[in-house]
Amino acid sequence: MDNNIQEIIKTQWKYLPDDLKKLAIDPGFVSKVEEIGRKYSLTDEQIGALLLETLMVIIGLGYSKDYLRNIQKELALSDQMARTIGNDVGENIFKSVENSLRAFNEKMERVQIADGESAPNDDERRATDNEKLTTGNGPLTTNRPPRTTDNQRQ
């Protein structure tokens, strides 16, 4: 894992409520997400993306308000299927920590607004973080060149 990502997660972890930390490291969490993915005949890649998007919300690196849009986009799902899967995840995973998730998301938005920023949605957060990583501007700078995929090398 990239050192910058590790640092971001480590910093974020300090602020997480205990019940969100517990859920994030619970082996049953992964099993529940995989079970939901299989229930809706998702591919392994889609299940992995669902797991990542769900974990991002739990650890506060993604907003719960953007979750449905994110899984629709990242899993390449129809609006209806994203809603169905999102409802299932909500009932089976998020519901147990609903109050903590809401309070933590609101706290993170207030912190950003207090810093003079409007609370961005997840796409804006990702674009900003990626820009900082690739341009060397901001606290997430890296001296390494951007990674190239096999498709880009051809």
Side-chain angles (χ1 to χ4, degrees):
M1 183 182 296
D2 186 302
N3 286 338
N4 292 322
I5 294 170
Q6 288 177 345
E7 280 302 312
I8 291 168
I9 292 171
K10 190 184 295 184
T11 300
Q12 191 71 9
W13 192 260
K14 293 177 191 177
Y15 301 105
L16 279 179
D18 289 340
D19 59 342
L20 294 179
K21 288 178 182 178
K22 184 178 176 184
L23 178 59
I25 62 173
D26 180 358
F29 161 70
V30 174
S31 298
K32 286 179 183 178
V33 173
E34 289 174 340
E35 183 180 314
I36 291 168
R38 285 191 302 274
K39 178 178 176 180
Y40 297 102
S41 303
L42 299 180
T43 65
D44 288 343
E45 186 176 315
Q46 287 174 309
I47 292 172
L50 180 63
L51 178 61
L52 179 61
E53 291 299 327
T54 305
L55 184 59
M56 295 283 282
V57 169
I58 292 169
I59 65 172
L61 294 175
Y63 289 115
S64 52
K65 68 180 182 180
D66 296 324
Y67 183 73
L68 289 179
R69 185 174 45 90
N70 289 345
I71 64 170
Q72 180 181 6
K73 179 180 172 186
E74 297 300 321
L75 280 66
L77 299 172
S78 69
D79 181 58
Q80 181 59 42
M81 182 56 75
R83 288 182 188 281
T84 301
I85 292 172
N87 287 337
D88 209 338
V89 170
E91 283 297 313
N92 291 292
I93 297 171
F94 292 149
K95 191 172 188 172
S96 66
V97 292
E98 181 177 12
N99 291 334
S100 291
L101 275 175
R102 184 177 300 114
F104 189 67
N105 274 217
E106 289 171 0
K107 179 181 176 181
M108 296 308 292
E109 286 181 9
R110 281 194 309 272
V111 166
Q112 288 176 336
I113 291 169
D115 286 341
E117 302 175 24
S118 62
N121 64 34
D122 285 346
D123 284 340
E124 292 168 335
R125 287 172 66 174
R126 287 179 181 149
T128 300
D129 289 346
N130 286 339
E131 179 181 301
K132 289 177 183 177
L133 283 169
T134 58
T135 63
N137 296 324
L140 302 176
T141 60
T142 180
N143 293 326
R144 293 190 322 206
R147 291 186 198 177
T148 55
T149 63
D150 290 336
N151 291 340
Q152 291 172 322
R153 288 185 193 122
Q154 295 176 356

